[in-house]
Amino acid sequence: MADFYHVRLEMARAPDAPTGDPGDGYDIVAPLDANGRLDADAWRAEPERAYARRFSDGVTEAKGRLRLGQGGQWIVDLPGEAEDAVGYRFGDERFVVGEYVSLTLPSGEQTTYQVVISKPLEA
């Protein structure tokens, strides 16, 4: 069974943020396998442990869950948001420090984030 990890995603370089923005991103608690990929079977065994927090300027904007949707799509489900953010190919990505992942935001905009923390949760 996979371990659950704290993963921090910070906005990577973009046209409107040429150096990125470490104050804008997500904290996610999710099960990762030995290769640093999301583990759907471990998530199914304990979905209540998967967590997501969106922050902006270092302040929590919303808290919710990371969930697995239809067709194996990973979704950042934040209550109060009109729509959810959807991980772009999250099932194929490695959540290890230095890697880049993308989310399709509720606005439809796709934003790239860098993994800056990926560490196992303490039991």
Side-chain angles (χ1 to χ4, degrees):
M1 192 61 68
D3 291 326
F4 276 72
Y5 281 70
H6 168 219
V7 176
R8 176 168 279 218
L9 307 175
E10 294 179 356
M11 186 171 34
R13 292 182 306 176
D16 57 338
T19 60
D21 185 352
D24 186 350
Y26 292 83
D27 282 310
I28 295 173
V29 171
L32 301 181
D33 66 17
N35 294 314
R37 289 187 171 83
L38 291 169
D39 187 322
D41 290 333
W43 178 86
R44 284 184 192 96
E46 299 181 274
E48 70 284 351
R49 288 186 65 193
Y51 170 83
R53 175 182 85 100
R54 183 170 52 82
F55 59 89
S56 180
D57 294 326
V59 176
T60 298
E61 295 287 327
K63 296 179 185 178
R65 298 271 175 217
L66 178 70
R67 66 181 174 83
L68 187 58
Q70 293 183 1
Q73 215 173 31
W74 290 94
I75 299 166
V76 177
D77 186 2
L78 302 173
E81 300 282 315
E83 296 178 36
D84 301 322
V86 178
Y88 178 73
R89 298 180 53 173
F90 263 27
D92 299 326
E93 299 291 354
R94 294 181 64 229
F95 288 82
V96 298
V97 173
E99 292 290 328
Y100 292 88
V101 299
S102 295
L103 279 166
T104 301
L105 303 179
S107 66
E109 176 186 359
Q110 191 171 64
T111 302
T112 302
Y113 297 87
Q114 185 172 26
V115 178
V116 297
I117 296 173
S118 183
K119 64 180 183 177
L121 294 179
E122 296 183 17

